[in-house]
Amino acid sequence: MFSRDFVGGLAAVLIAAVYLLFAYELRTSALDDLVGPGGLPRTYGWMMLVLGLMIAAGAIFKQIRSGVAPDLKLEWKGQGRRILWAAGLLLIGVGYVIGVGTLGYPLAIALLLIAVALYQGAKPGLHIAAMGIGGAAFLWVAFVLVLGVSMPKGLLGIL
């Protein structure tokens, strides 16, 4: 069995590799600058890949330097709960991706912000609803009005 750092580093490398596959699939246009629309995503992907390799290599060097095999049973104790908790966050994100086309960006992002706050343990109340609505309004203004990024209208486009 492997240490948590080694497994985490390899997971980061795997995620970065998949991310890079998609980043290199981004369409380019004759109107693009030298960097293009994929420049920043590719940079993030390569940075994550390198950092993942560094974490995995660090775990190997740590074990070699210590000369003692780590107590993996103790190191992995309780990690199942954390993995399930992270899977819950992933499911919230998947729900957002599935629903954003139908619900529209403002409603979907408001629900995402509220769901994550509640999942993290915030007490339900008007302040959470206000945070979701205010956050969605801020992000909509930032992306749609300031940056000119087209977002799905969904249900709001019907009205």
Side-chain angles (χ1 to χ4, degrees):
M1 187 172 239
F2 303 106
S3 71
R4 287 186 314 168
D5 287 344
F6 183 74
V7 171
L10 288 184
V13 168
L14 180 65
I15 292 168
V18 172
Y19 184 85
L20 281 169
L21 282 173
F22 287 110
Y24 277 98
E25 291 294 317
L26 290 173
R27 227 176 16 177
T28 56
S29 163
L31 300 175
D32 287 337
D33 58 8
L34 291 174
V35 177
L40 201 55
R42 290 175 189 154
T43 302
Y44 290 154
W46 283 109
M47 286 173 57
M48 184 171 180
L49 189 119
V50 169
L51 290 173
L53 288 172
M54 289 172 63
I55 290 170
I60 292 171
F61 290 135
K62 180 180 176 183
Q63 187 171 349
I64 290 171
R65 234 186 357 231
S66 72
V68 179
D71 185 0
L72 295 176
K73 194 169 200 169
L74 181 62
E75 184 174 349
W76 283 96
K77 185 177 180 179
Q79 295 306 307
R81 281 178 129 180
R82 290 181 175 182
I83 291 169
L84 287 175
W85 180 81
L89 279 176
L90 179 63
L91 286 176
I92 292 172
V94 168
Y96 165 78
V97 170
I98 291 171
V100 72
T102 304
L103 299 174
Y105 179 75
L107 182 57
I109 200 75
L111 291 174
L112 172 74
L113 292 171
I114 291 168
V116 169
L118 294 174
Y119 191 75
Q120 294 280 10
K123 288 186 177 181
L126 289 177
H127 66 289
I128 297 297
M131 182 267 315
I133 293 167
F138 172 80
L139 291 170
W140 185 83
V141 166
F143 283 107
V144 176
L145 296 181
V146 175
L147 298 174
V149 177
S150 176
M151 293 294 181
K153 292 184 175 118
L155 296 174
L156 297 177
I158 296 171
L159 303 175

